[in-house]
Amino acid sequence: MKEQKTTSHLFKTIYTLIFGLVFIASSCQQADRETAASQNEELAMQYIEAYNEQDRTALEAILTDPFFTSGEEVTLDSFLDLIEGYWSTFPDITLEPTHIVGADEHVTIRLEFIATGSGEFLGHEAEGKEINVSEIFLFVVRNGQLAEYWYNWDELGFWMQLGVVESPYPQE
């Protein structure tokens, strides 16, 4: 009878130890994921800050080359040239984050694109036009850099505010 109690006690001890190790490992993995998500959120915010400061060098340091935009591979230079096109037409451009969520290697930011036009944009008069539209960026982080982003923005609102298209809604 004593041997059965010892075996039962030994089994319970081993079971508790294994369960404890699994719990600790799981907790450590969760902490690692939270730390990575937090670091990735910080990296995405560095992108927003560099964009707002119109700092091409800072963007070069945090973006991969090549870079992927909505699944399309582009050179880093061509992506930054596109951004500089926005900077030249909208010299006071500001991306103002309203929400940020990080999970594993993904970071999503909802923001407001706020700017005043100067000159032309893609052949359309932008001078003095005030723009305020919402955007959502989904960044993918690889090896400590932003490697890819997917975006969705209020393109109709943008072109309406530039006066290129009329509102599809009836005017009162």
Side-chain angles (χ1 to χ4, degrees), residues 1 13 17 20 34 37 49 62 81 100 118 124 128 133 150 155 160 165:
M1 187 71 149
T13 302
L17 181 61
E34 289 172 5
E49 182 178 319
I62 62 175
D81 288 348
I100 185 167
S118 174
H124 301 283
V133 295
W150 297 80
E155 188 171 6
M160 285 172 45
V165 297

Side-chain angles (χ1 to χ4, degrees), residues 18-151:
I18 291 172
F19 181 76
L21 290 173
V22 169
F23 178 76
I24 290 169
S26 176
S27 295
C28 289
Q29 287 176 343
Q30 179 64 27
D32 289 346
R33 282 193 299 273
E34 289 172 5
T35 299
S38 177
Q39 290 170 343
N40 293 343
E41 288 175 16
E42 177 60 33
L43 187 60
M45 289 305 295
Q46 288 174 20
Y47 172 89
I48 299 299
E49 182 178 319
Y51 188 102
N52 287 342
E53 293 176 2
Q54 300 183 17
D55 187 345
R56 183 180 178 120
T57 303
L59 289 173
E60 288 172 339
I62 62 175
L63 299 172
T64 62
D65 190 9
F67 186 72
F68 290 83
T69 175
S70 295
E72 181 181 336
E73 181 177 321
V74 296
T75 66
L76 181 57
D77 280 337
S78 66
F79 180 71
L80 294 176
D81 288 348
L82 174 70
I83 288 174
E84 285 182 335
Y86 279 93
W87 291 343
S88 67
T89 304
F90 304 99
D92 66 346
I93 195 168
T94 301
L95 301 180
E96 193 171 290
T98 60
H99 301 83
I100 185 167
V101 178
D104 298 321
E105 74 274 4
H106 296 95
V107 180
T108 302
I109 300 178
R110 184 199 177 274
L111 53 89
E112 295 293 320
F113 172 106
I114 303 166
T116 307
S118 174
E120 287 190 358
F121 184 73
L122 299 177
H124 301 283
E125 185 59 43
E127 187 68 41
K129 305 282 177 74
E130 293 182 5
I131 307 296
N132 186 334
V133 295
S134 63
E135 293 187 275
I136 297 173
F137 293 167
L138 170 64
F139 288 106
V140 179
V141 179
R142 291 193 189 97
N143 300 319
Q145 289 185 292
L146 300 176
E148 180 175 346
Y149 95 132
W150 297 80
Y151 63 94

Side-chain angles (χ1 to χ4, degrees), residues 147-168:
E148 180 175 346
Y149 95 132
W150 297 80
Y151 63 94
N152 189 328
W153 65 300
D154 180 9
E155 188 171 6
L156 177 60
F158 177 86
W159 291 113
M160 285 172 45
Q161 291 173 44
L162 273 184
V164 175
V165 297
E166 291 184 30
S167 172

